[in-house]
C-alpha cells in the first residue's frame, strides 16, 4: 500500500496494481492507448516518489515523467495529470 496523490487529491494505492489501474479503481479517467508501454499516451509528471516498471517501456519517457500504464509505485507518489477527470467522491 502506498499513498497516491493526483492533482492534489490523495488515496491509498494497491501495490500490486499499476498506477493506471489504481487511477481507474478510484474512477479517475486519464489518457491511455496501448496500456503496455509502447505509445507514451499515458505519460504524466511525477512530482515526487519512485516507481518501477514491470518491463522496460518502449516509449521514450522524459525526465521527471512516468508511464502510468506500466509503472508500479515503490513509494508514495505525487502525480500531475492535466487532463485527468476526478470523480466527485474524491474532489468533494
Ligand atoms: S498507454 Fe501506451 S505507453 Fe501507456
Amino acid at each position: 500500500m502506498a499513498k497516491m496523490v493526483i492533482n492534489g487529491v490523495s488515496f491509498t494505492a494497491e501495490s500490486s496494481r499499476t498506477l493506471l489501474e489504481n487511477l481507474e479503481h478510484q474512477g479517475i479517467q486519464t489518457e491511455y492507448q496501448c496500456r503496455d508501454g509502447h505509445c507514451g499516451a499515458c505519460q504524466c509528471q511525477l512530482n515526487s516518489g519512485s516507481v518501477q516498471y514491470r518491463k522496460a517501456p518502449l516509449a521514450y519517457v522524459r525526465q521527471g515523467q512516468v508511464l502510468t500504464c506500466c509503472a508500479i509505485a515503490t513509494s508514495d507518489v505525487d502525480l500531475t495529470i492535466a487532463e485527468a477527470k476526478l470523480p466527485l467522491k474524491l474532489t468533494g
Side-chain angles (χ1 to χ4, degrees):
M1 298 280 210
K3 185 171 88 173
M4 225 172 133
V5 179
I6 173 167
N7 300 352
V9 175
S10 65
F11 60 89
T12 301
E14 183 63 49
S15 55
S16 62
R17 295 183 181 132
T18 64
L19 299 178
L20 179 59
E21 290 166 344
N22 274 298
L23 293 168
E24 291 174 332
H25 189 73
Q26 295 297 322
I28 299 170
Q29 297 175 5
T30 63
E31 199 169 316
Y32 64 87
Q33 289 180 22
C34 71
R35 300 185 71 103
D36 198 31
H38 292 198
C39 70
C42 65
Q43 191 158 177
C44 71
Q45 178 76 35
L46 178 64
N47 301 316
S48 65
S50 58
V51 300
Q52 70 180 31
Y53 290 98
R54 288 180 170 163
K55 63 179 182 182
L58 294 179
Y60 174 70
V61 185
R62 293 184 299 272
Q63 180 82 21
Q65 304 268 307
V66 65
L67 300 177
T68 62
C69 73
C70 52
I72 294 172
T74 55
S75 72
D76 292 350
V77 293
D78 185 324
L79 306 171
T80 298
I81 306 177
E83 74 284 354
K85 295 186 178 87
L86 283 71
L88 282 178
K89 70 174 184 172
L90 290 177
T91 58

